[in-house]
Amino acid sequence: MASASSSSARHLFDESKTRLCARVGVNVNNLGSVTRQIVKYSETNEIMHQTLKNFTQVDVVSDYSKQNLQKMSLILQHVGYQYDVMQDSVNHLDYLKEQVTAMER
């Protein structure tokens, strides 16, 4: 009877070992799937990170461009003022020429 018990225990051990190996095989297959998903997520995460970085750079460049346009608008306004002042000076010179000519007569 001891041998039957020993044989039964061995058979149970072998059966458990076989099931364990089968489950480990299934888990290894699942692990491959999980690994692929992790790699895919990692690549997606890297793409998202790069996209966010590019968007941030574009946003900064856009802000600089906006500031430069505002500065150029201000410069254009000041050039307009200077043009008006020069135009007034030219008109004043014409008036002065007329006065000098009148004084010479």
Side-chain angles (χ1 to χ4, degrees), residues 69-82:
L69 283 173
Q70 289 172 341
K71 288 176 185 177
M72 286 191 283
S73 176
L74 189 61
I75 289 170
L76 181 62
Q77 188 177 17
H78 284 282
V79 167
Y81 293 150
Q82 291 172 355

Side-chain angles (χ1 to χ4, degrees), residues 30-97:
N30 288 340
L31 182 62
S33 174
V34 169
T35 302
R36 283 190 297 276
Q37 288 176 355
I38 289 172
V39 168
K40 184 178 178 182
Y41 174 76
S42 176
E43 290 171 355
T44 302
N45 194 22
E46 181 63 30
I47 290 169
M48 291 296 289
H49 177 71
Q50 187 63 36
T51 301
L52 182 61
K53 184 177 175 182
N54 290 343
F55 182 75
T56 303
Q57 289 174 345
V58 167
D59 192 40
V60 168
V61 169
S62 176
D63 285 344
Y64 285 144
S65 297
K66 180 182 175 186
Q67 290 173 3
N68 285 338
L69 283 173
Q70 289 172 341
K71 288 176 185 177
M72 286 191 283
S73 176
L74 189 61
I75 289 170
L76 181 62
Q77 188 177 17
H78 284 282
V79 167
Y81 293 150
Q82 291 172 355
Y83 174 80
D84 291 342
V85 168
M86 287 190 290
Q87 192 66 35
D88 287 344
S89 295
V90 167
N91 292 339
H92 191 67
L93 282 175
D94 289 339
Y95 175 72
L96 289 176
K97 281 184 186 177

